[in-house]
Amino acid sequence: MTQPGSGPAAGQWDAAVAAIRALGGTDEIQLICHVNPDGDALGSMLGFALALRRLGFTRVRATFPGAFLIPGPYTELPGIDLLVPEEDAFPAPALVLVFDVASESRLGGLAARAVAAPVGIVLDHHASNTGFGTIRLVDPQAAATSVLAEELTRRLGVPLDREIAECFYVALATDTGSFTFDMTTVAVHELAARLIATGIRPGDISRRIFDTRAFGAMKLVGEVLGRAVLEPSAAGGLGLVWTYATLADLERHGQPPYVLDTLIGPVRSVAEADVSMVVKQVGAGEWSVSLRSKGAVDVSRLAVSQGGGGHRLAAGFTGFGEPSDVVDIVRRLLGEFLN
Ligand code: 5GP
Ligand code: MN
């Protein structure tokens, strides 16, 4: 695990800049973010892909592992034309850059390529980052991976423009919960100010990214929230609230999987529970688990113990069996990871 308080080690920024400057304009550069990408993964990756294009690199591709499903809100991000399905990624690029990926398992079938590349630059902010990559720009204190992507952009001498700024802003707004989470520091607001100064429109972006959904998605969310369970005695009496959603729920409402990623917001708002959880079906007997804590439990350590990862107060892992099996495991582990 990356130690709290430790930003990138001395020399890592200079090494990253030197590695990029050493490339020729037609060298192949592959950018990769995590499976089931969110706003920070896509925003930090596409913003930096655009910065590389501004530097004159002509062969720049971005991708993520697994099904090529781009969550609706992100389909119009600047730089989206640089995004290709996993199978169209460069087979042997000169440089790989990895964004928002806590562990190699989150790279799916692209992990081998990331390791085999002559240079692999890792930009990440997960406390649970496992330490892979040749050049590591990893800072668990950073509010979003885009904080690191913007710093590298600046150190390369690429000025922020509206397109790059929109990508980094979406990433920053996503991972700070629209500038409400604990990591929302003075530096975060200063970065937001620099991004907004390019002329991007935060109101339009917020409406498009966070406040727009299909009627069917709204009905689906209503149904899934309606079956939430509150367990006041869990987590040493601090409380657990959880719900689950199946592939059949998605099908009944005609919705894509990413719609379920918004569920954790209302679930974590429950006053009677410190810990919240959404168990989302991804296959037969396979569930993607989102965990949040208000401070009583280190959910990152809990998730790591189940092969997942994340941050102290927001983490996830893949669970198996029925939803009740996943809930049983988490309920039992909560006591072990109380702060
Ligand atoms: P979310 O619940 O929003 O999907 O994820 C919360 C946090 O946990 C994010 O930082 C995400 O990257 C991380 N996370 C979620 N699922 C997994 C997982 O299966 N493995 C790892 N390593 N991290 C995860
Ligand atoms: Mn992130």
Side-chain angles (χ1 to χ4, degrees), residues 197-222:
T198 63
I200 60 170
R201 301 177 64 89
D204 290 350
I205 294 172
S206 283
R207 259 186 303 282
R208 181 157 44 84
I209 303 288
F210 305 117
D211 286 339
T212 304
R213 63 173 145 216
F215 184 68
M218 189 268 294
K219 298 285 278 187
L220 168 63
V221 166

Side-chain angles (χ1 to χ4, degrees), residues 34 38 40-41 100 124-126 143-146 171 175 311:
H34 63 72
D38 58 12
D40 187 31
D100 206 36
D124 188 36
H125 68 132
H126 290 93
T145 296
S146 69
D175 268 25
H311 311 279

Side-chain angles (χ1 to χ4, degrees), residues 34 102-103 106 126 280 290-292 307-311 314-318:
H34 63 72
S103 63
R106 303 273 282 163
H126 290 93
K280 301 166 279 191
S290 284
L291 280 166
R292 301 290 185 271
H311 311 279
F317 67 93
T318 300

Side-chain angles (χ1 to χ4, degrees), residues 38-39 41-44 46-47 50 70 72-82 163 166-171 205 208-209:
D38 58 12
L42 286 170
S44 60
L46 293 178
L50 288 170
I70 306 164
Y74 308 127
T75 52
E76 285 167 42
L77 274 180
I80 200 80
D81 51 309
L82 301 174
E163 290 193 312
E166 176 162 340
C167 288
F168 288 165
Y169 187 88
V170 165
I205 294 172
R208 181 157 44 84
I209 303 288

Side-chain angles (χ1 to χ4, degrees), residues 237-248:
L238 294 165
L240 166 69
V241 59
W242 61 271
T243 190
Y244 70 94
T246 64
L247 293 175

Side-chain angles (χ1 to χ4, degrees), residues 73-116:
Y74 308 127
T75 52
E76 285 167 42
L77 274 180
I80 200 80
D81 51 309
L82 301 174
L83 192 66
V84 299
E86 174 177 2
E87 53 272 22
D88 293 337
F90 292 122
L95 170 66
V96 168
L97 293 123
V98 174
F99 294 82
D100 206 36
V101 173
S103 63
E104 282 156 293
S105 64
R106 303 273 282 163
L107 289 168
L110 292 159
R113 197 164 328 185
V115 173

